[in-house]
Amino acid sequence: DWPLTIWYRIDEFRLISLKTIAEAVLLCSPNYVNQTSLPLCVSGELESQSLAFSKPCTLWASPANAGSLALADEIAAAFAPDRETAGLTICTTDDRPASATHLLLYLNEDTFVSDERLAEQVTQARQDRLPIVMAHENDPDLG
């Protein structure tokens, strides 16, 4: 009943795949057969490091981009419990806030289908040279 392990080619993500495989193998061994999970870590991996921005960052997750708010919350959780110290602010207004330093663009099969305002916002962000952080959904169940 172990979930399918996705193999990633990017080094940091490859470590996650290897940890998942190692955990599955260990949980089948006699020493760990009665456990449901193991707290495995790899020295120097990103999950074990504190995350912080070098300067304050205001990430704009537009309501016109379905799924971007959930992703923004997930990003913010990576900085929890001290998001302010890490220098991250999440903004979810309909119009671009003046304080926005980046636009979060969540990409899936429905990105430019559900709300035409998003195309206008992305066009304006490009014209304004606002950096766009693009996150492509890799889970087929999420589009």
Side-chain angles (χ1 to χ4, degrees):
D1 291 333
W2 199 259
L4 177 67
T5 301
I6 298 171
W7 183 255
Y8 294 103
R9 297 184 188 277
I10 300 169
D11 287 342
E12 287 79 10
F13 299 119
R14 189 178 307 139
L15 284 177
I16 294 170
S17 298
L18 287 172
K19 279 178 31 177
T20 303
I21 294 167
E23 181 181 34
V25 170
L26 287 170
L27 289 172
C28 292
S29 69
N31 290 341
Y32 302 103
V33 75
N34 293 325
Q35 296 188 29
T36 57
S37 65
L38 296 172
L40 300 180
C41 66
V42 177
S43 178
E45 71 180 331
L46 293 177
E47 287 183 33
S48 65
Q49 298 176 20
S50 295
L51 300 176
F53 291 94
S54 58
K55 57 185 179 180
C57 176
T58 299
L59 190 60
W60 176 34
S62 169
N65 185 197
S68 67
L69 178 56
L71 177 58
D73 288 340
E74 194 174 326
I75 292 168
F79 292 90
D82 202 5
R83 192 165 73 187
E84 279 188 29
T85 303
L88 176 64
T89 302
I90 304 291
C91 185
T92 58
T93 60
D94 282 323
D95 295 320
R96 175 186 167 198
S99 62
T101 59
H102 297 79
L103 167 63
L104 176 61
L105 182 58
Y106 173 68
L107 299 167
N108 67 10
E109 62 188 11
D110 298 322
T111 299
F112 292 103
V113 177
S114 59
D115 193 329
E116 63 187 46
R117 292 178 305 155
L118 181 60
E120 296 166 6
Q121 292 170 342
V122 170
T123 300
Q124 189 62 52
R126 289 180 46 95
Q127 289 173 352
D128 296 344
R129 298 188 175 268
L130 179 69
I132 301 173
V133 178
M134 293 183 282
H136 190 277
E137 183 57 67
N138 289 316
D139 185 340
D141 294 336
L142 297 175

